Structures are given as structure tokens and as C-alpha cells.
């Protein structure tokens, strides 16, 4: 119990103004010494698995995980205790650890940072189900429902209750802040500091397009990082978006602490694209073979398909309201000046025609037929001579 209480206090530095909490902290100071010292001595934050003592649906709950503490040669199903909710309960996150019989590299697979991206969840589940711990060297840890409250209603953003209903995009919050003002920031930090970062030698954060906007199969990655490039080239998918995108995305939080990472994009939101999922499962198994976690020959890689690598995404934004008709499909090659979509008003009159300003390939398209001014209608992957600023992309 002292362990659990102390853990709670560690997490709630932002509550120290509370008299009750401050009193509890004083009461605990006497027996908190050795554990504190241990925490402080570890590099990269606290280490060691902490069991809360709770069991949910037969699965033990942890508030910190170190896969070194788990038995080798086994599959472990756990719940990670995420941020506390307004009712005083917690958002538990599902964690699957497949720990090989022999030591080796430790990979982390993440899905569910956005709540409507189902093919990313299924990709991670499929990889995990293919792993046999008895034959593995190393550990693979998977988290499939990071943004729990967003997933409960299958929507992109986390409905944060702190200041009335706010919808917060969790993939702009990493690495988070355990003392942050929103539950999303605190949840991100708890996961990053106590579950993801401590158990990752490499990490992959799986996504799809978003509701109303579908994408082709591609990976977002900084190809100037050799370890990242090596992983991404093992995927038999046709597009690579070679760009560092913006701060706050999970794969950049990993990169910032020296853990090679990137973001696969697996088609449309809300549905399972089984064919596309197979490509990403094959690529991810290749990555595990590349790191020696799994034995066996490589599957198909980028060498077996035609891959278009672009460093920029050209957005086509709606200039009017109305129904959008696409004239091209995902993955189509586009010439500069080519007409890609027309838009009609409620009378059926054409109110806008859209042409590409660049030569490239179609990476994403609005799948909701209605659009208002400013909505992205398409993204065209292309190569820009010089990079300027950060690229916004609704991953
Ligand atoms: Zn996403």
C-alpha cells in the first residue's frame, strides 16, 4: 500500500496545493526514502514494474512496467493504469507483452492514439498473434487502445472534461506532462515515461487516415535517420512521406530521446482494410527479423514494390461549399496542372475546379462528399526542392 500511495503522490505534484494531499505527503515522507533513491539513480526516469494490487478481468494492473521483470518465454496480458478520470477511476490501457525465451532487442508497437483508426489496432493485434515467445530473442510490447475515451466513441480526439467538453488531439501532446493541465497531457506522460519509453529500443506508432479523409498505404518517417530508414524500407508499401512533420506526435517524442521510430498510415479510418493491413503486418514482421527478435526469411519489402518517396504533401483545400467529386484515385500519378476534383453547389452547378500545383502521387483524399471552404480535399505527395517550416498532415 505505501508503494501505491506514493506512486499516486508522485503523479500528483500538481495537487500539492491541496491540504489533504500535502498532509498525506508529509506522512509518507518517512517510508518513501529507498524507493525514491532508486528512482533517482536510474537514467531516463524511474524503472521497475509497479503492480497496483488491482486485478481487472483477470489481468494484473501496473502503473509502471519494466519488461525485464516479466518471465521469459511467455505472453503477458496486463492493464496499465492511465490517467485518473472525473469519477476517480482510471483509464486502463491494454498491454500485451510477448517476451522471448532469449534476450534481445525490445520493440514497442502502439495503436489507438487516435480513437477512430481501427486498421492500426488490427495490424498490431495480428503481429502480436503471430509471435511465439518460445522461439523469440527479445521482447515486443503492444498497446492497442492508448486514447481510451476517444476509442469508446470511435472518434479521433479525446473528449477532455476539464473545462467543459474539449476535443483534444492526443497526437499533438507527446511526450506529455505528468503535471499537465489536461488529462490528455497527463495520460500521454504516464504512458510515455512509465510504459513506452523504458521498454523500447525501437518503436512504431500505427495510424490510419481520419474520419472523412482516407489515405493510401504509406509511412511517415525521417529518412535521414539510418535506423529509421532501414525499418521503413522493409515495408512493401508504395509511398514514403520523408518528413519530420510536427512536434507533439508520438514518433517524434521517441526520436527526441534516441529511440528510432516512425508512423505507418493504413488506409481509411473506422474500417478494417484487411489487404492493406497484411502489407503492414509483413513489414513489421520484417522489422522484427531485422532486429533479430524473430527468426526466419524476410517477406516482401520496399524492393518488391514500386515506392514513391516524397518530402512534402501538397494540400488541396476546398474553396467553396458543396459536393466534391474526385477525378483521380489514391496512388494515382498526377501532373502539375492536372484537374483532380470538381465541386457542385446545391443546384448542381460547378462552383469550383481543383488542379494540382505539383507533380506527385495522391496520398490522401476526402471521403466525405460534402465539404466546406478550408476542408482538405486531397494531399499530393511530391518532392520540394527546399523544406520550409513544418508540414501539417492529419495523420
Ligand atoms: Zn492517427
Amino acid at each position: 500500500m505505501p508503494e501505491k500511495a506514493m506512486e499516486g503522490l508522485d503523479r500528483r505534484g500538481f495537487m500539492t496545493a491541496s491540504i489533504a494531499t500535502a498532509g498525506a505527503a508529509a506522512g509518507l515522507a518517512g517510508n518513501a526514502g529507498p524507493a525514491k533513491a532508486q528512482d533517482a539513480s536510474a537514467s531516463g526516469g524511474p524503472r521497475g514494474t509497479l503492480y497496483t494490487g488491482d486485478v481487472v478481468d483477470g489481468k494484473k494492473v501496473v502503473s509502471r512496467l519494466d519488461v525485464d521483470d516479466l518471465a521469459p518465454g511467455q505472453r503477458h496480458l496486463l492493464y496499465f493504469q492511465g490517467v485518473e478520470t472525473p469519477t476517480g477511476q482510471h483509464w486502463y490501457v491494454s498491454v500485451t507483452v510477448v517476451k522471448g525465451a532469449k534476450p534481445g532487442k525490445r520493440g514497442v508497437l502502439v495503436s489507438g492514439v487516435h480513437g477512430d483508426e481501427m486498421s492500426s489496432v488490427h495490424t498490431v493485434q495480428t503481429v502480436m498473434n503471430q509471435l511465439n515467445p518460445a522461439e523469440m530473442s527479445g521482447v515486443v510490447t503492444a498497446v492497442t487502445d492508448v486514447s481510451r475515451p476517444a476509442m469508446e466513441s470511435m472518434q479521433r480526439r479525446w473528449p477532455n472534461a476539464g473545462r467543459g467538453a474539449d476535443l483534444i488531439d492526443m497526437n499533438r501532446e507527446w511526450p506529455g506532462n505528468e503535471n499537465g493541465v489536461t488529462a490528455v497531457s497527463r495520460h500521454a506522460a504516464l504512458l510515455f515515461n512509465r510504459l513506452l519509453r523504458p521498454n523500447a529500443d525501437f518503436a512504431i506508432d500505427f495510424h490510419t487516415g481520419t474520419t472523412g479523409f482516407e489515405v493510401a498505404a504509406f509511412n511517415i518517417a525521417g529518412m535521414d535517420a539510418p535506423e529509421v530508414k532501414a525499418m521503413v524500407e522493409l515495408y512493401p508499401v508504395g509511398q514514403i512521406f520523408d518528413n519530420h512533420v510536427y512536434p507533439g506526435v508520438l514518433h517524434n517524442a521517441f526520436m527526441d530521446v534516441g529511440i528510432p521510430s516512425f508512423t505507418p498510415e493504413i488506409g481509411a479510418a473506422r474500417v478494417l482494410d484487411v489487404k492493406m493491413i497484411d502489407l503492414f503486418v509483413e513489414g513489421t514482421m520484417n522489422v522484427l527479423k531485422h532486429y533479430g527478435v524473430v527468426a526466419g526469411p524476410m517477406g516482401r519489402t520496399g524492393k518488391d514494390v514500386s515506392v514513391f518517396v516524397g518530402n512534402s504533401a501538397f494540400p488541396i483545400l476546398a474553396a467553396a461549399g458543396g459536393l466534391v467529386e474526385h477525378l483521380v484515385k489514391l496512388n494515382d500519378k498526377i501532373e502539375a496542372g492536372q484537374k483532380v476534383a470538381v465541386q457542385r453547389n446545391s443546384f448542381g452547378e460547378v462552383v469550383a475546379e481543383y488542379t494540382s500545383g505539383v507533380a506527385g502521387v495522391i496520398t490522401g483524399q476526402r471521403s466525405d462528399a460534402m465539404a466546406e471552404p478550408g476542408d482538405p480535399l486531397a494531399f499530393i505527395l511530391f518532392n520540394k526542392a527546399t523544406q520550409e517550416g513544418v508540414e501539417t498532415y492529419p495523420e
Side-chain angles (χ1 to χ4, degrees):
M1 279 313 288
E3 198 172 58
K4 184 181 179 182
M6 190 194 70
E7 178 77 349
L9 287 168
D10 281 354
R11 288 184 177 192
R12 295 181 197 172
F14 63 100
M15 287 182 184
T16 48
S18 147
I19 290 165
T21 308
L28 277 166
N31 60 12
K36 283 275 189 208
Q38 190 183 22
D39 279 2
S41 68
S43 62
R47 303 299 285 254
T49 301
L50 280 180
Y51 291 93
T52 67
D54 297 319
V55 175
V56 177
D57 286 343
K59 295 167 188 74
K60 288 180 180 171
V61 177
V62 297
S63 57
R64 203 162 72 204
L65 180 66
D66 183 340
V67 294
D68 286 352
D69 297 334
L70 301 178
Q74 287 182 30
R75 181 178 299 266
H76 304 267
L77 306 183
L78 302 163
Y79 279 117
F80 178 83
Q81 180 181 275
V83 75
E84 188 170 338
T85 72
T87 53
Q89 301 182 37
H90 291 268
W91 288 113
Y92 293 119
V93 170
S94 310
V95 182
T96 304
V97 181
V98 179
K99 182 164 179 181
K102 295 183 211 138
K105 290 280 189 183
R106 303 162 311 146
V108 165
L109 310 179
V110 180
S111 61
V113 170
H114 290 133
D116 58 350
E117 303 184 354
M118 301 303 125
S119 286
S120 63
V121 176
H122 194 258
T123 300
V124 173
Q125 291 172 341
T126 307
V127 168
M128 296 308 283
N129 286 339
Q130 288 187 6
L131 300 179
N132 179 356
E135 295 175 353
M136 274 168 49
S137 305
V139 189
V140 183
T141 301
V143 186
T144 47
D145 47 15
V146 168
S147 188
R148 278 283 317 285
M151 287 192 83
E152 299 295 351
S153 51
M154 212 163 78
Q155 65 180 355
R156 177 180 177 85
R157 298 180 185 87
W158 176 304
N160 188 64
R163 289 160 180 77
D166 262 343
L167 291 172
I168 298 180
D169 187 332
M170 194 173 187
N171 214 22
R172 303 293 181 273
E173 295 287 331
W174 303 96
N177 178 351
E178 291 191 20
N179 298 322
V181 293
T182 67
V184 192
S185 176
R186 297 195 295 276
H187 189 69
L190 291 173
L191 264 74
F192 193 74
N193 298 337
R194 296 158 188 259
L195 175 65
L196 304 176
R197 177 185 180 180
N199 297 302
D201 295 320
F202 60 96
I204 309 173
D205 180 29
F206 295 83
H207 284 254
T208 74
T210 194
T211 296
F213 194 90
E214 64 181 332
V215 300
F218 72 104
N219 287 301
I220 303 174
M223 297 290 275
D224 53 344
E227 274 202 83
V228 172
K229 183 170 187 280
M231 284 194 279
V232 168
E233 289 180 341
L234 294 174
Y235 283 74
V237 304
Q239 296 186 31
I240 295 171
F241 183 17
D242 175 14
N243 190 287
H244 287 267
V245 294
Y246 21 84
V249 303
L250 178 53
H251 83 250
N252 277 336
F254 280 118
M255 293 294 288
D256 288 345
V257 294
I259 297 167
S261 186
F262 62 97
T263 293
E265 294 281 353
I266 314 171
R270 307 189 77 81
V271 297
L272 295 187
D273 187 329
V274 176
K275 267 192 171 166
M276 208 183 278
I277 287 168
D278 282 348
L279 302 177
F280 286 92
V281 169
E282 194 164 356
T284 306
M285 292 302 292
N286 287 341
V287 168
L288 297 178
K289 290 167 187 168
H290 166 73
Y291 280 111
V293 177
V294 170
M298 287 282 173
R300 290 170 299 168
T301 72
K303 289 195 179 119
D304 298 303
V305 296
S306 154
V307 182
F308 183 91
V309 185
N311 64 10
S312 197
F314 181 83
I316 293 183
L317 304 179
L323 279 173
V324 176
E325 182 187 348
H326 292 292
L327 305 176
V328 293
K329 300 187 303 296
L330 291 176
N331 291 309
D332 277 0
K333 263 188 100 170
I334 302 298
E335 297 303 323
Q338 184 174 340
K339 197 191 294 183
V340 295
V342 296
Q343 191 174 25
R344 294 180 178 84
N345 65 13
S346 295
F347 299 97
E349 300 164 321
V350 172
V351 288
E353 293 187 330
Y354 299 96
T355 55
S356 175
V358 297
V361 298
I362 300 283
T363 289
Q365 278 183 325
R366 185 171 175 83
S367 49
D368 281 358
M370 285 289 275
E372 64 182 2
D375 284 340
L377 302 183
F379 277 102
I380 297 162
L381 186 64
F382 76 109
N383 275 295
K384 193 190 269 184
T386 52
Q387 292 279 297
E388 21 183 281
V390 295
E391 300 266 345
T392 56
Y393 179 81
E395 89 301 323

